[in-house]
């Protein structure tokens, strides 16, 4: 937008003069400096579009079509096999938000579970990764090795590690054995940690935190290493201990970083569901059903029921929620800076 | 690595004699905390390795991290019997092509956004960033329908093209930031010497943005290697299967052989770890640069 304005004003177009002459200036103008500058500008714009063209072409095919299609589908009723959509207007949305006795309760349960995840994962991630980064930053030996070790969960997160976690969380799995061997056998879960409706969601939250800590820790570490050392020295001269320095000086300075981390985790909590699909598929019962998973189920696991439109509508509700979260986050950032 | 080692001492409060925390020195407490989280980090990975070197009867009989009779049989059986070579090469093909395309396509686009002035520049930039908030699950079905019309459903290109497009927001964000930090004077000096746009891009901007490019390559390669949802919906022919789908197929058998499953998981995880360890010097700097920029 700013580029548009400057291109119009300082390209040497004459101030006084009719629209007709202004249009003709591109070819007919004889100003010695204007012409080469103008062609240079034109050439730069052409290069700009050339460089951008592959990305834009791909987006036009894979992006625009799918987004427009998905959006219009959210106003329709369809099962993927009927030749025709049935137009429903906004009723998919109202059904999901309370109108339908079949779908509204499912959405409500999933929304509640999603809300737990959206609160627990960012809070726990920050509570673990901030002290971890502080401590890691304060040592000199093994810093590089430990940073790699701590980063490993991010590198390996995916179906392979979800299966490893399932194996560990089994009734005969490592976590139960560990608890028994240290004399805490009463805490072990005979049905497995994912088999008990009471422990399934908290367990999945812990696994999510486990895979969210690496990036957050690295972001905090970045922030810590760009801190001004003299500030911390001053605090120590004033007699503040390590804990006080961390809480009253470093933590407030890390606030922008904390907001970035929170936003990333909120978005994942709201839209991600791969781990839920693979490890519990929403069960036992509906104790681990989340909104992203319900969307996926309505779209791909509902056989011949005409729920594709509902799935799409639920997806767009998630989109709106993500935008609201991003907007609130941006407001918060602006206020603190 | 060297840069962080130089940075750290400055950011540190001066080292003092460790204070005592109830008889334990602060340094011991710090060491214990760091070691404890290292164990938490590695825990599932260690069990994966452990099970992959056990026989199935030892896995069933339960729980020692160190196998009593470590065997390579499980790994070699899994690799040979279950066509893992085919799945492995499929995964490799999809991942490499996706990563190369992401780096080439979005490095070019980001150069345009960061350096060149043309109408609509900011609009297109914002368009790519807005994609970040479109939930993947909304476009999953339209992608499948579109691909069946274009006749690429079930092929590897049917995975690669949506993956590349899906990587756009992050790649454009990071690479535009990286190109923005290159001093304009370099570009002007090169133009004075008569270098064209392509040459400036390839000889000045790409080399200077290498940490960001490696970071984006990793941040594309890792999720692509692990991608599961679209792959599961779109692939039908077992000869096109990638590793996640092969793993999924093993897991949904009636009796799960955990030793084979963990061996397969290990086969899937090890290349990513090696890749990360090789590239991590660039990776850490690239991520840090992206955040600061």
């Amino acid at each position: 937008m700013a580029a548009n304005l400057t291109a119009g004003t300082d390209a040497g177009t004459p101030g006084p003069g009719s629209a007709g002459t202004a249009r003709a200036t591109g070819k007919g103008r004889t100003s010695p400096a204007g012409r080469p500058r103008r062609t240079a500008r034109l050439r730069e714009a052409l290069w700009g579009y050339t460089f951008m063209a592959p990305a834009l072409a791909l987006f036009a095919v894979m992006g625009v079509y799918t987004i427009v299609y998905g959006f219009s589908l959210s106003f329709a009723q369809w099962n993927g096999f009927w030749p025709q959509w049935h137009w429903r207007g906004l009723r998919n949305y109202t059904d999901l938000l309370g109108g339908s006795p079949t779908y509204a309760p499912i959405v409500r349960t999933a929304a509640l579970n999603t809300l737990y995840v959206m609160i627990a994962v960012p809070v726990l991630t920050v509570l673990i990764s901030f002290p971890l980064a502080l401590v890691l930053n304060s040592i000199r030996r093994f810093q590089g090795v430990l940073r790699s070790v701590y980063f490993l969960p991010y590198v390996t997160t995916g179906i392979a590690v979800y299966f490893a976690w399932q194996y560990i969380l089994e009734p005969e799995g490592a976590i139960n054995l560990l608890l028994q061997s240290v004399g805490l056998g009463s805490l072990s879960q005979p049905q497995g940690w994912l088999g008990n409706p009471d422990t399934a969601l908290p367990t999945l939250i812990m696994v999510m935190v486990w895979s969210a800590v690496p990036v957050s820790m690295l972001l905090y570490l970045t922030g810590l290493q760009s801190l001004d050392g003299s500030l911390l020295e001053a605090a120590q001269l004033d007699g503040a201990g390590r804990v006080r320095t961390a809480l009253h000086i470093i933590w407030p300075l890390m606030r922008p970083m904390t907001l970035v981390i929170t936003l990333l985790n909120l978005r994942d909590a709201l839209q991600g569901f791969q781990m839920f699909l693979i490890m519990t598929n929403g069960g036992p019962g509906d104790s681990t059903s989340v909104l992203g998973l319900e969307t996926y189920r309505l779209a791909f696991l509902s056989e011949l029921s005409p729920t594709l439109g509902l799935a799409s509508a639920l997806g767009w509700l998630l989109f709106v929620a993500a935008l609201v979260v991003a907007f609130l986050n941006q407001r918060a950032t602006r206020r603190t800076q | 690595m060297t840069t962080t080692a130089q940075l750290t001492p400055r950011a540190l409060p001066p080292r003092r004699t460790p204070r005592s925390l109830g008889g334990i020195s602060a340094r011991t407490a710090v060491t214990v905390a760091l070691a404890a989280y290292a164990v938490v980090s590695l825990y599932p990975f260690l069990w994966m390795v452990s099970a992959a070197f056990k026989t199935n009867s030892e896995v069933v009989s339960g729980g020692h991290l160190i196998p009593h009779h470590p065997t390579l049989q499980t790994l070699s059986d899994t690799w040979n019997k279950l066509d893992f070579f085919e799945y492995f090469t499929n995964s490799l093909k999809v991942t490499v092509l996706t990563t190369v395309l992401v780096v080439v396509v979005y490095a070019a686009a980001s150069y345009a956004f960061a350096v060149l002035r043309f109408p609509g520049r900011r609009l297109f930039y914002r368009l790519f960033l807005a994609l970040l908030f479109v939930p993947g699950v909304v476009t999953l079905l339209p992608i499948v329908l579109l691909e069946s019309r274009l006749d690429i459903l079930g092929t590897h290109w049917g995975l690669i093209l949506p993956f590349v497009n899906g990587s756009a927001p992050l790649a454009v964000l990071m690479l535009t930031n990286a190109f923005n930090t290159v001093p304009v004077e370099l570009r002007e000096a090169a133009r004075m010497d008569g270098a064209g746009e392509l040459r400036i891009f390839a000889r000045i901007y790409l080399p200077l943005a290498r940490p960001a490019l490696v970071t984006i390559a990793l941040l594309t390669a890792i999720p692509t290697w692990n991608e599961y949802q679209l792959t599961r919906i779109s692939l039908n022919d077992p000869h096109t299967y990638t590793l996640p789908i092969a793993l999924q197929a093993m897991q949904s058998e009636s009796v799960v052989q955990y030793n084979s499953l963990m061996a397969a998981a290990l086969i899937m995880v090890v290349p990513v770890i090696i890749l990360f360890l090789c590239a991590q010097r660039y990776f850490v700097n690239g991520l840090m640069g992206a955040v600061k920029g």
Side-chain angles (χ1 to χ4, degrees), chain A residues 33-55:
Chain A
R35 193 169 180 175
R37 228 206 275 165
R38 202 178 175 123
T39 47
R41 199 171 289 276
L42 191 66
R43 190 186 296 157
E44 183 165 333
L46 277 177
W47 274 115
Y49 293 120
T50 312
F51 273 106
M52 207 177 54

Side-chain angles (χ1 to χ4, degrees), chain A residues 1-4 7 41 43-45 47-49 51-52 54-56 58-59 61-63 65-67 69-71 73 78 128 132 135-140 143-144 146-161 163-168 170 172 174-175 177-178 209-210 213 218-219 221-222 224-230 232-233 236 240-243 257 263 267 271 273-274 277-278 292 295-296 299-301 308 312 315-316 318-319 322-323 326, chain B residues 1 4 7-16 19 30 33-35 37-38 40-45 47-48 51 54 59 62-63 105-106 108-109 111-113 115-124 126-128 130-147 149-150 161-162 164-165 187 191 197-198 201 219 222-223 226-229 232-233 244 247-248 251 258 261-262 265 268-269 272-273 276-277 280 283-284 287-288 291-292:
Chain A
M1 269 138 272
N4 255 328
R41 199 171 289 276
R43 190 186 296 157
E44 183 165 333
W47 274 115
Y49 293 120
F51 273 106
M52 207 177 54
L56 215 55
L58 191 64
F59 177 66
V61 179
M62 303 305 317
Y65 177 91
T66 55
I67 290 169
Y69 190 103
F71 190 61
L73 185 57
W78 195 42
I128 294 173
L132 197 65
V135 173
L136 191 60
N137 191 40
S138 73
I139 61 161
R140 242 172 279 184
Q143 200 193 55
L146 281 174
R147 200 177 48 197
S148 302
V149 167
Y150 296 154
F151 206 71
L152 201 69
Y154 173 80
V155 175
T156 55
T157 283
I159 194 165
V161 166
F163 285 153
W165 272 113
Q166 260 184 334
Y167 166 61
I168 291 169
E170 288 260 289
E172 308 293 319
I175 302 267
L177 286 168
L178 188 75
V209 171
W210 175 84
V213 162
L218 200 60
L219 290 177
L221 208 55
T222 311
L224 290 176
Q225 296 190 338
S226 60
L227 273 188
D228 185 1
S230 59
L232 303 183
E233 277 171 40
Q236 296 223 319
R242 275 167 199 264
V243 176
M257 214 51 112
L263 178 64
R267 195 182 65 104
Q271 297 181 350
F273 63 95
Q274 179 163 310
L277 176 68
I278 292 168
T295 313
Y296 183 83
F300 295 102
L301 306 174
L308 289 174
S312 205
W316 285 104
L318 285 179
F319 173 73
L323 278 188
Chain B
M1 220 56 59
T4 51
L7 276 174
T8 318
R10 270 207 61 224
L12 270 181
R15 205 166 276 273
R16 298 190 293 179
R19 279 197 293 169
V30 161
L34 287 172
Y37 203 80
V40 172
S41 252
L42 291 173
Y43 197 64
F45 182 71
W47 279 98
M48 189 193 288
K54 286 174 179 172
V59 167
V105 169
Y106 297 113
Y111 178 73
F113 291 136
V115 177
L116 301 171
R117 298 289 170 265
F118 56 93
R121 177 176 73 102
R122 287 172 69 83
L123 180 73
F124 285 123
R126 286 187 183 161
L127 183 77
F128 279 109
L131 286 179
L132 194 63
F133 295 104
V134 177
V137 68
V138 177
T139 51
L140 223 46
L141 179 74
I143 285 178
V144 170
L145 296 173
L146 171 70
E147 292 192 341
R149 250 190 235 173
L150 298 176
L161 294 180
V164 174
N165 187 55
R187 173 177 146 83
R191 296 196 77 160
E197 211 61 68
L198 267 178
F201 172 60
L219 289 180
I222 293 170
N226 289 324
E227 208 281 343
Y228 169 73
Q229 284 145 22
R232 176 177 155 184
I233 294 164
L247 238 65
Q248 164 70 26
Q251 203 252 1
Y258 262 114
L261 186 64
M262 288 300 111
M268 187 171 152
V269 155
V272 190
I273 294 178
F276 169 69
L277 290 179
Q280 74 155 333
F283 186 55
V284 171
L287 264 189
M288 292 182 169
V291 177
K292 281 179 199 163

Side-chain angles (χ1 to χ4, degrees), chain B residues 18-93:
Chain B
R19 279 197 293 169
S20 158
L21 284 173
I24 315 161
S25 80
R27 193 174 294 177
T28 316
V30 161
T31 312
V32 168
L34 287 172
Y37 203 80
V39 172
V40 172
S41 252
L42 291 173
Y43 197 64
F45 182 71
L46 292 177
W47 279 98
M48 189 193 288
V49 176
S50 153
F53 287 95
K54 286 174 179 172
T55 60
N56 197 43
S57 56
E58 191 179 346
V59 167
V60 172
S61 71
H64 289 276
L65 190 55
I66 315 286
H68 285 310
H69 310 286
T71 170
L72 283 172
Q73 198 63 38
T74 304
L75 269 172
S76 74
D77 281 358
T78 309
W79 179 268
N80 293 329
K81 275 193 216 146
L82 297 166
D83 292 328
F84 260 73
F85 181 69
E86 195 174 14
Y87 304 140
F88 193 88
T89 46
N90 285 340
S91 271
L92 202 63
K93 174 185 162 194

Side-chain angles (χ1 to χ4, degrees), chain B residues 200-220:
Chain B
I200 297 175
F201 172 60
R203 290 289 169 81
I204 298 176
Y205 279 80
L206 283 186
L208 285 175
R210 194 153 60 173
L213 291 169
V214 174
T215 308
I216 274 304
L218 271 180
L219 289 180
T220 307

Side-chain angles (χ1 to χ4, degrees), chain A residues 5-14 25 29 33-35 37-38 41:
Chain A
L5 282 177
T6 48
T9 48
D10 64 12
T13 36
T25 47
R29 215 172 124 83
R35 193 169 180 175
R37 228 206 275 165
R38 202 178 175 123
R41 199 171 289 276

Side-chain angles (χ1 to χ4, degrees), chain A:
Chain A
M1 269 138 272
N4 255 328
L5 282 177
T6 48
T9 48
D10 64 12
T13 36
S18 68
T21 53
R23 203 177 296 146
T25 47
K27 282 167 195 166
R29 215 172 124 83
T30 47
S31 148
R35 193 169 180 175
R37 228 206 275 165
R38 202 178 175 123
T39 47
R41 199 171 289 276
L42 191 66
R43 190 186 296 157
E44 183 165 333
L46 277 177
W47 274 115
Y49 293 120
T50 312
F51 273 106
M52 207 177 54
L56 215 55
L58 191 64
F59 177 66
V61 179
M62 303 305 317
V64 175
Y65 177 91
T66 55
I67 290 169
V68 171
Y69 190 103
F71 190 61
S72 45
L73 185 57
S74 77
F75 301 103
Q77 188 176 35
W78 195 42
N79 71 353
F81 297 98
W82 296 347
Q84 287 284 306
W85 292 4
H86 296 266
W87 206 251
R88 298 195 80 210
L90 285 172
R91 271 197 294 159
N92 282 335
Y93 289 93
T94 53
D95 275 3
L96 291 169
L97 292 173
S100 152
T102 334
Y103 298 112
I106 298 177
V107 170
R108 213 172 301 137
T109 313
L112 206 59
N113 285 339
T114 307
L115 193 66
Y116 288 142
V117 176
M118 282 175 70
I119 294 169
V121 172
V123 169
L124 290 172
T125 305
V126 167
L127 281 181
I128 294 173
S129 53
F130 179 68
L132 197 65
L134 267 182
V135 173
L136 191 60
N137 191 40
S138 73
I139 61 161
R140 242 172 279 184
R141 267 207 269 170
F142 303 119
Q143 200 193 55
V145 176
L146 281 174
R147 200 177 48 197
S148 302
V149 167
Y150 296 154
F151 206 71
L152 201 69
Y154 173 80
V155 175
T156 55
T157 283
I159 194 165
V161 166
Y162 298 148
F163 285 153
W165 272 113
Q166 260 184 334
Y167 166 61
I168 291 169
L169 296 165
E170 288 260 289
E172 308 293 319
I175 302 267
N176 275 349
L177 286 168
L178 188 75
L179 286 172
Q180 277 152 18
S181 68
V182 296
L184 291 169
S186 57
L187 289 178
S188 67
Q189 291 295 323
Q191 304 129 291
W193 288 82
L194 298 174
N196 179 347
D198 294 330
T199 56
L201 189 62
T203 306
L204 286 184
I205 287 175
M206 292 317 292
V207 179
M208 275 184 97
V209 171
W210 175 84
S211 54
V213 162
V215 170
S216 313
M217 182 229 22
L218 200 60
L219 290 177
Y220 274 129
L221 208 55
T222 311
L224 290 176
Q225 296 190 338
S226 60
L227 273 188
D228 185 1
S230 59
L231 200 65
L232 303 183
E233 277 171 40
Q236 296 223 319
L237 286 179
D238 288 347
R242 275 167 199 264
V243 176
R244 274 182 73 103
T245 314
L247 281 182
H248 295 290
I249 295 170
I250 303 178
W251 171 250
L253 288 173
M254 288 293 120
R255 203 145 167 190
M257 214 51 112
T258 307
L259 285 162
V260 170
I261 290 166
T262 314
L263 178 64
L264 286 176
N265 283 313
L266 281 174
R267 195 182 65 104
D268 283 352
L270 197 59
Q271 297 181 350
F273 63 95
Q274 179 163 310
M275 194 185 88
F276 292 78
L277 176 68
I278 292 168
M279 286 177 69
T280 61
N281 198 12
D286 52 13
S287 60
T288 59
S289 82
V290 286
L291 288 171
L293 181 62
E294 288 307 328
T295 313
Y296 183 83
R297 281 181 169 173
L298 285 171
F300 295 102
L301 306 174
S302 60
E303 305 292 325
L304 287 172
S305 325
T307 53
L308 289 174
L310 277 170
S312 205
L314 188 50
W316 285 104
L317 288 176
L318 285 179
F319 173 73
V320 172
L323 278 188
V324 170
V325 165
F327 176 72
L328 291 178
N329 199 66
Q330 201 184 10
R331 284 280 299 270
T333 320
R334 212 170 278 165
R335 199 168 300 156
T336 53
Q337 276 175 347

